[in-house]
Amino acid sequence: MKTPDLASRRRPFTFWAVLVVASAIDIAATRLLGRPGFPPYARMIFALLPIPANLVLLAIIVRRVRGLDEFLRRVHLEAAATAFLLTALAVFIDADLEKAHCVGPLNVGVAWILMAAFYGIGYAIAVRHYR
Amino acid sequence: MKNRLRVLRAEKNWTQAELAGMVGISRQAVIAVENGKYDPALPLAFRLARAFGKNIEEVFVWEDNAPAEK
């Protein structure tokens, strides 16, 4: 029987560690951009600051997806499709509600939280479907 | 498509996790295949059959009237 090697056991830790670092950089960059007094070149650096960590996160996610078996790939594909479509629907509805002056401008951060929540819902539905 | 995975696994006295480990897939995948909820692609079907020392036709049975997937 195959036993997971040390590298594959470390992968979940690596993912969460990079996610925390990337999120911290995102938040720090947003806060720095909210402060006045920085010259334009510094503001541009702050805006681009989250890119490297997020690219590392992307590479980790792609590697993990490639390491999944065909069944789990299907489950995650269904979860991703659910998250993508429901988030798009939510954003479009929010835009229409904004035009109708029912809600204020959309905070992009909320869209990401929604996408994560919809991904979880899509994953749960797919797992339940194939159980 | 029907399969005899559960019966063959019981004959060998293997757990789902053991079979999954032998074939290199998740236990969830074994559960889904056993319950007929997921039809594996050919390479995985061959690997599963080989794990039991059987030909693919002895493990997976094609039914002409069966829906593609539940």
Side-chain angles (χ1 to χ4, degrees):
Chain A
M1 202 190 315
K2 283 182 187 174
T3 51
D5 57 10
L6 191 63
S8 64
R9 268 184 277 152
R10 274 185 187 159
R11 264 178 225 144
F13 172 76
T14 310
F15 170 76
W16 290 109
V18 174
L19 180 66
V20 167
V21 170
S23 302
I25 293 171
D26 289 349
I27 292 165
T30 306
R31 286 192 177 172
L32 284 171
L33 285 167
R35 285 185 192 169
F38 292 110
Y41 74 88
R43 301 182 73 78
M44 192 177 79
I45 290 170
F46 296 155
L48 300 177
L49 214 54
I51 292 176
N54 280 284
L55 285 179
V56 172
L57 193 63
L58 174 71
I60 290 171
I61 291 170
V62 169
R63 262 181 85 178
R64 287 187 76 178
V65 169
R66 285 179 183 160
L68 294 174
D69 65 46
E70 61 178 55
F71 171 72
L72 286 179
R73 271 189 213 157
R74 175 181 289 211
V75 168
H76 282 283
L77 176 64
E78 288 183 20
T82 304
F84 179 81
L85 291 170
L86 286 181
T87 306
L89 180 68
V91 169
F92 285 133
I93 287 174
D94 183 83
D96 287 341
L97 288 172
E98 200 179 318
K99 280 179 200 163
H101 304 291
C102 296
V103 294
L106 176 70
N107 181 346
V108 180
V110 173
W112 285 107
I113 293 166
L114 271 180
M115 190 178 272
F118 288 144
Y119 192 94
I121 291 168
Y123 182 81
I125 291 170
V127 165
R128 193 180 162 83
H129 174 76
Y130 290 113
R131 200 186 295 157
Chain B
M1 190 162 69
K2 278 191 172 178
N3 70 76
R4 299 181 55 235
L5 219 60
R6 194 187 299 273
V7 176
L8 293 168
R9 189 173 58 75
E11 282 173 8
K12 296 271 186 185
N13 212 18
W14 291 341
T15 64
Q16 289 170 331
E18 282 170 339
L19 176 60
M22 275 180 242
V23 182
I25 57 173
S26 60
R27 198 172 73 87
Q28 288 162 287
V30 173
I31 293 167
V33 174
E34 277 191 2
N35 291 339
K37 294 279 187 178
Y38 175 69
D39 292 336
L42 266 178
L44 177 55
F46 272 109
R47 289 212 310 273
L48 285 164
R50 293 289 182 273
F52 293 108
K54 305 265 184 200
N55 288 323
I56 196 165
E57 301 92 340
E58 295 173 276
V59 181
F60 295 95
V61 183
W62 175 254
E63 291 175 307
D64 283 335
N65 298 330
E69 224 162 62
K70 287 159 207 153

